[in-house]
Amino acid sequence: MPRMAQTTDPTRTLLTRDLRSGWVRLRTLLVLRWLAVLGQTATVVVASLFLGLRVELGLCFLAIGTSVLSNMIAMTVFPPNQRLADWDAMLTLLFDLTQLSFLLFLTGGLNNPFALLILAPVTISATALTMRSTVILGLAAIVLITLVAFYHVPLTTRAGEVIELPALFLAGFWAAIVIGIVFLSGYARRVTLEIHSMSQALLATQEALAREQKLTDLGGVVAAAAHELGTPLATIKLVSTELAEELEDNPDLAADARLIREQADRCRDILRDMGRAGKDDLHMHSAPFGAVVREAAEPHVDRGVAVHFEFAPMPGADEAQPAIYRRPEIIHGIRNLVQNAVDFANDDVWVDGLWDGQNIYLRLTDDGAGFPPDLIGRLGDPFLRRRKTPRDEQQRPGYEGMGLGLFIAKTLLERSGARVAFRNATDPFLLAEESGERRGAMVEVTWPAAAIQLAEGVAHAPLGENRPIQA
């Protein structure tokens, strides 16, 4: 079978790249800079006029004026909604860092308690810019705060008294600022990455659910069309058959009648094939539990691994399978779990369904290597990738998982009211002959019956006539 040409999936590119270009609006940084200008101006004026400190007002206002001038130029040159590239935002924050360091140089260096504000540009970078920009700003902040610790204009009163902290306090203040730069930037970046990863993963989940919903709706519409057209097609076939028999003495007309019958059969087959995605009728919104599970697993039952299905009631429960809603999130969630089991199984996958009247249980087990023990607690997190197996590489060449399969499955199933648990069927460190057939990974899904099961009267009610689709 020839390999298909590779295409670029924009959704996959969006989810796998760390696109931080254009995250920050220029207006946001300009507003922050205006606030810094007001705060710096007020601090210098209060220190000089009310606290009796000698401050180089000319140089201080020169430093503050550079911020004002840069803001005026930026507001004139760029539109208000301008978004900055990563490098441009880094240079903007580097300018703010340098301007603040120059003010600290003029006002006592680390003896100035406002030296702590040097943390702000680095923290902003950690939340909005790339790792490279954050490292550059962090190193620049450490270098600048070190320089102003040794080289600065002494902070003096009008009486000539020098205000200076003891060397031990200065060293501690410097260490606290450096540690704060590293810790706060790392902490902010970690939290931001978690939020960004969760947003991307939820986007992928919504895309998967929307795709499943569209396929289900399309299949249902086609199946309903096939159902509604069944009677007129059967009539056409019956009439054309009778015409063909009556026109035996006229071969040309008889051939036309037989052609009409064949085309009616072809229309029926086309509609039946197109409606397979919907699995029956528009009213097929519910089905027995086993039928829904088999439907979800169908795309992965012929991928070189034997998938065994078993559905049975628990002791004391009704023998009949519960009828459940055919929700897209249930079907797609189960399908992802089956896919994961097939990917990492050696030869067999077992899908077991149980019910007891209060809950409905689904258990998927394979005979693979099982979940890595160190990852069991993190399974279901977004973008958690696993190493590809040799078998997976053979059957799916070039496939690279995004680490979203289990996350999407868990999110969709929990959305339907289920609880999802991951564990290993046996100790993964045991030998194969010691652990039995079902020795691989195990996923257990538990639904409260009330969440997905139809009420008894509704489950056995007639479906009725197909309703038209509302626009």
Side-chain angles (χ1 to χ4, degrees), residues 278-448:
K279 292 299 180 187
D280 270 334
D281 198 7
L282 183 61
H283 277 278
M284 196 62 176
H285 290 187
S286 62
F289 178 51
V292 174
V293 174
R294 290 177 184 273
E295 174 188 349
E298 181 180 2
H300 303 290
V301 296
D302 295 322
R303 292 181 48 212
V305 171
V307 181
H308 310 278
F309 296 93
E310 183 176 350
F311 301 93
M314 299 185 73
D318 189 355
E319 290 288 335
Q321 290 190 19
I324 67 172
Y325 293 102
R326 290 182 61 257
R327 295 177 180 170
E329 55 264 34
I330 296 177
I331 295 175
H332 198 78
I334 296 175
R335 182 169 298 161
N336 276 16
L337 293 180
V338 174
Q339 176 183 350
N340 186 77
V342 170
D343 284 345
F344 292 94
N346 292 326
D347 300 301
D348 297 279
V349 171
W350 292 270
V351 181
D352 302 318
L354 301 168
W355 57 92
D356 60 5
Q358 300 296 323
N359 297 292
I360 299 175
Y361 307 92
L362 180 67
R363 182 184 300 123
L364 294 92
T365 316
D366 60 64
D367 61 348
F371 295 123
D374 60 319
L375 293 183
I376 287 182
R378 297 175 55 201
L379 292 174
D381 288 349
F383 301 101
L384 181 64
R385 301 189 183 187
R386 294 183 57 181
R387 177 176 58 87
K388 290 191 296 184
T389 64
R391 193 189 140 275
D392 188 52
E393 178 62 28
Q394 293 174 3
Q395 293 197 2
R396 303 166 74 188
Y399 174 82
E400 293 184 2
M402 296 172 62
L404 289 175
L406 289 180
F407 171 80
I408 291 176
K410 185 173 183 290
T411 302
L412 293 179
L413 291 174
E414 288 178 346
R415 177 174 176 172
S416 69
R419 298 189 307 272
V420 184
F422 303 95
R423 63 185 182 91
N424 285 317
T426 61
D427 190 335
F429 297 103
L430 293 177
L431 298 176
E433 55 271 16
E434 297 175 334
S435 55
E437 286 185 321
R438 305 190 183 194
R439 56 182 177 271
M442 178 181 291
V443 183
E444 295 178 326
V445 186
T446 305
W447 288 275

Side-chain angles (χ1 to χ4, degrees), residues 17 38 45-46 80 114 123 194 255 258 264 281 364 411 413 439:
R17 293 178 58 192
L38 292 176
V45 171
V46 170
F114 291 100
T123 305
E194 289 288 341
R258 286 192 294 272
D281 198 7
L364 294 92
T411 302
L413 291 174
R439 56 182 177 271

